Short mmCIF file of all heavy atoms in Angstrom, two decimals:
data_model
loop_
_atom_site.label_atom_id
_atom_site.label_comp_id
_atom_site.label_asym_id
_atom_site.label_seq_id
_atom_site.Cartn_x
_atom_site.Cartn_y
_atom_site.Cartn_z
N GLN A 5 40.80 -3.46 6.06
CA GLN A 5 40.79 -2.88 7.39
C GLN A 5 39.43 -2.22 7.62
O GLN A 5 38.92 -1.50 6.78
CB GLN A 5 41.89 -1.83 7.52
CG GLN A 5 42.14 -1.43 8.94
CD GLN A 5 43.52 -0.84 9.08
OE1 GLN A 5 44.30 -0.83 8.15
NE2 GLN A 5 43.81 -0.35 10.26
N SER A 6 38.84 -2.49 8.79
CA SER A 6 37.51 -1.95 9.07
C SER A 6 37.62 -0.46 9.38
O SER A 6 38.59 0.01 9.98
CB SER A 6 36.88 -2.68 10.25
OG SER A 6 37.65 -2.48 11.41
N LEU A 7 36.62 0.27 8.93
CA LEU A 7 36.58 1.71 9.15
C LEU A 7 35.97 2.01 10.50
O LEU A 7 34.97 1.41 10.88
CB LEU A 7 35.77 2.37 8.04
CG LEU A 7 36.32 2.25 6.62
CD1 LEU A 7 35.29 2.76 5.63
CD2 LEU A 7 37.60 3.03 6.50
N ARG A 8 36.54 2.97 11.20
CA ARG A 8 36.02 3.37 12.51
C ARG A 8 36.22 4.85 12.70
O ARG A 8 37.10 5.46 12.11
CB ARG A 8 36.74 2.62 13.63
CG ARG A 8 36.49 1.15 13.63
CD ARG A 8 37.28 0.49 14.75
NE ARG A 8 37.11 -0.94 14.70
CZ ARG A 8 36.28 -1.61 15.47
NH1 ARG A 8 35.57 -1.00 16.37
NH2 ARG A 8 36.20 -2.92 15.36
N GLY A 9 35.39 5.43 13.53
CA GLY A 9 35.55 6.81 13.96
C GLY A 9 35.59 7.82 12.84
O GLY A 9 34.74 7.84 11.96
N ALA A 10 36.61 8.68 12.86
CA ALA A 10 36.73 9.77 11.89
C ALA A 10 36.95 9.24 10.48
O ALA A 10 36.47 9.83 9.50
CB ALA A 10 37.88 10.70 12.29
N ALA A 11 37.66 8.12 10.35
CA ALA A 11 37.88 7.54 9.02
C ALA A 11 36.56 7.08 8.41
O ALA A 11 36.32 7.26 7.21
CB ALA A 11 38.85 6.37 9.11
N LEU A 12 35.68 6.52 9.23
CA LEU A 12 34.36 6.09 8.75
C LEU A 12 33.53 7.30 8.35
O LEU A 12 32.86 7.29 7.31
CB LEU A 12 33.64 5.27 9.81
CG LEU A 12 32.23 4.79 9.45
CD1 LEU A 12 32.26 3.92 8.21
CD2 LEU A 12 31.63 4.02 10.62
N ASP A 13 33.58 8.37 9.16
CA ASP A 13 32.84 9.59 8.83
C ASP A 13 33.30 10.17 7.49
O ASP A 13 32.48 10.57 6.66
CB ASP A 13 33.01 10.64 9.93
CG ASP A 13 32.28 10.24 11.21
OD1 ASP A 13 31.34 9.43 11.13
OD2 ASP A 13 32.67 10.75 12.29
N GLU A 14 34.61 10.20 7.27
CA GLU A 14 35.15 10.72 6.01
C GLU A 14 34.73 9.84 4.84
O GLU A 14 34.37 10.34 3.77
CB GLU A 14 36.67 10.81 6.08
CG GLU A 14 37.18 11.90 6.99
CD GLU A 14 38.69 11.89 7.14
OE1 GLU A 14 39.36 11.17 6.36
OE2 GLU A 14 39.20 12.58 8.03
N ALA A 15 34.75 8.52 5.04
CA ALA A 15 34.36 7.60 3.97
C ALA A 15 32.87 7.76 3.64
O ALA A 15 32.48 7.74 2.46
CB ALA A 15 34.66 6.16 4.39
N ILE A 16 32.05 7.94 4.67
CA ILE A 16 30.61 8.14 4.45
C ILE A 16 30.38 9.43 3.68
O ILE A 16 29.62 9.47 2.70
CB ILE A 16 29.85 8.14 5.79
CG1 ILE A 16 29.80 6.73 6.39
CG2 ILE A 16 28.43 8.66 5.61
CD1 ILE A 16 29.23 6.66 7.78
N ASP A 17 31.03 10.52 4.10
CA ASP A 17 30.86 11.80 3.41
C ASP A 17 31.29 11.72 1.95
O ASP A 17 30.61 12.23 1.05
CB ASP A 17 31.64 12.91 4.13
CG ASP A 17 31.02 13.26 5.48
OD1 ASP A 17 29.81 12.98 5.67
OD2 ASP A 17 31.75 13.80 6.34
N ALA A 18 32.42 11.06 1.69
CA ALA A 18 32.91 10.93 0.32
C ALA A 18 31.94 10.08 -0.52
O ALA A 18 31.63 10.42 -1.67
CB ALA A 18 34.30 10.30 0.31
N LEU A 19 31.44 9.00 0.07
CA LEU A 19 30.50 8.13 -0.65
C LEU A 19 29.20 8.87 -0.94
O LEU A 19 28.66 8.77 -2.04
CB LEU A 19 30.23 6.86 0.15
CG LEU A 19 29.24 5.89 -0.48
CD1 LEU A 19 29.78 5.35 -1.79
CD2 LEU A 19 28.92 4.76 0.47
N LEU A 20 28.69 9.62 0.04
CA LEU A 20 27.43 10.35 -0.17
C LEU A 20 27.59 11.39 -1.26
O LEU A 20 26.70 11.57 -2.10
CB LEU A 20 26.97 10.99 1.15
CG LEU A 20 26.49 10.01 2.23
CD1 LEU A 20 26.17 10.76 3.51
CD2 LEU A 20 25.30 9.20 1.75
N ALA A 21 28.73 12.10 -1.27
CA ALA A 21 28.98 13.09 -2.32
C ALA A 21 29.01 12.42 -3.70
O ALA A 21 28.45 12.93 -4.67
CB ALA A 21 30.27 13.83 -2.05
N GLU A 22 29.65 11.26 -3.76
CA GLU A 22 29.72 10.52 -5.03
C GLU A 22 28.33 10.06 -5.47
O GLU A 22 27.97 10.17 -6.64
CB GLU A 22 30.64 9.31 -4.86
CG GLU A 22 30.74 8.44 -6.09
CD GLU A 22 31.53 7.17 -5.83
OE1 GLU A 22 32.31 7.14 -4.85
OE2 GLU A 22 31.37 6.22 -6.60
N MET A 23 27.54 9.54 -4.53
CA MET A 23 26.21 9.05 -4.86
C MET A 23 25.29 10.18 -5.30
O MET A 23 24.47 10.01 -6.20
CB MET A 23 25.61 8.29 -3.67
CG MET A 23 26.33 6.97 -3.39
SD MET A 23 25.74 6.15 -1.89
CE MET A 23 24.26 5.37 -2.50
N ILE A 24 25.42 11.36 -4.68
CA ILE A 24 24.61 12.52 -5.10
C ILE A 24 24.98 12.91 -6.51
O ILE A 24 24.10 13.20 -7.34
CB ILE A 24 24.79 13.69 -4.11
CG1 ILE A 24 24.10 13.38 -2.78
CG2 ILE A 24 24.25 14.99 -4.70
CD1 ILE A 24 24.35 14.39 -1.69
N SER A 25 26.28 12.91 -6.83
CA SER A 25 26.70 13.30 -8.17
C SER A 25 26.27 12.28 -9.23
O SER A 25 26.00 12.64 -10.37
CB SER A 25 28.21 13.52 -8.23
OG SER A 25 28.88 12.30 -8.03
N LEU A 26 26.20 10.98 -8.86
CA LEU A 26 25.75 9.96 -9.81
C LEU A 26 24.26 10.07 -10.11
O LEU A 26 23.82 9.69 -11.19
CB LEU A 26 26.08 8.56 -9.27
CG LEU A 26 27.54 8.15 -9.28
CD1 LEU A 26 27.72 6.80 -8.60
CD2 LEU A 26 28.07 8.11 -10.70
N GLY A 27 23.49 10.56 -9.17
CA GLY A 27 22.06 10.75 -9.39
C GLY A 27 21.21 9.64 -8.80
O GLY A 27 21.71 8.58 -8.41
N LEU A 28 19.93 9.90 -8.79
CA LEU A 28 18.96 9.01 -8.15
C LEU A 28 18.82 7.68 -8.90
O LEU A 28 18.68 6.63 -8.29
CB LEU A 28 17.59 9.70 -8.06
CG LEU A 28 16.48 8.95 -7.35
CD1 LEU A 28 16.84 8.75 -5.89
CD2 LEU A 28 15.17 9.71 -7.46
#
Side-chain angles (χ1 to χ4, degrees):
Q5 194 158 354
S6 63
L7 297 171
R8 295 178 184 260
L12 179 59
D13 290 337
E14 290 174 12
I16 289 173
D17 290 338
L19 178 64
L20 291 175
E22 177 186 340
M23 291 174 81
I24 288 173
S25 67
L26 288 175
L28 184 64

